[in-house]
Amino acid sequence: AKKPSTKPSSSGVLNPAQLETWKQAVNFQGTTEDFVRHVIQLEEARRAFILSNLKLVIWCARKIIKTRSAHLYSLYVDLVHEGFVGLITAVEKYDSSKGTRFGTYAT
């Protein structure tokens, strides 16, 4: 089966055909409006999860700076940026059913 396209239309808005394809791909039982509401709630939860774990990124960056005994601001900013990108990746790949805490998984 062909994987549904995840790219929005050129206007940035998903068209009804794409929504229906995605709804069928995940076997969602309900109206398209319910599906859209569910997707929005999932995205809001993902963003909240990322923001609530940003402190972990800051902690790891500070720990690395201290162990290297270099207090370079640019290095710190780069570490935080890379850590934030890694945090987003970790949130997307994290599986809570495996029984590990997110902080343990992400570090």
Side-chain angles (χ1 to χ4, degrees):
K2 186 178 176 184
K3 187 176 178 181
S5 171
T6 58
K7 293 182 180 180
S9 65
S10 60
S11 66
V13 178
L14 294 174
N15 65 45
Q18 286 175 311
L19 289 173
E20 194 60 38
T21 302
W22 286 1
K23 195 172 106 174
Q24 291 172 358
V26 296
N27 198 21
F28 185 83
Q29 303 298 318
T31 65
T32 302
E33 290 81 16
D34 289 340
F35 179 69
V36 169
R37 199 173 303 116
H38 182 70
V39 169
I40 290 169
Q41 288 173 346
L42 288 173
E43 180 59 24
E44 288 172 353
R46 185 181 80 84
R47 286 181 184 177
F49 196 65
I50 289 169
L51 290 176
S52 66
N53 284 285
L54 191 54
K55 187 175 180 179
L56 176 64
V57 171
I58 303 296
W59 178 82
C60 289
R62 283 185 181 164
K63 186 176 177 182
I64 290 170
I65 291 292
K66 285 180 183 177
T67 59
R68 304 283 192 275
S69 66
H71 299 286
L72 301 173
Y73 181 73
S74 62
L75 177 61
Y76 180 70
V77 172
D78 288 344
L79 285 171
V80 170
H81 179 265
E82 290 298 318
F84 188 66
V85 171
L87 174 63
I88 292 170
T89 303
V91 166
E92 291 172 357
K93 293 183 176 185
Y94 178 63
D95 183 5
S96 63
S97 67
K98 294 186 178 179
T100 58
R101 291 179 47 179
F102 179 75
T104 305
Y105 173 79
T107 55

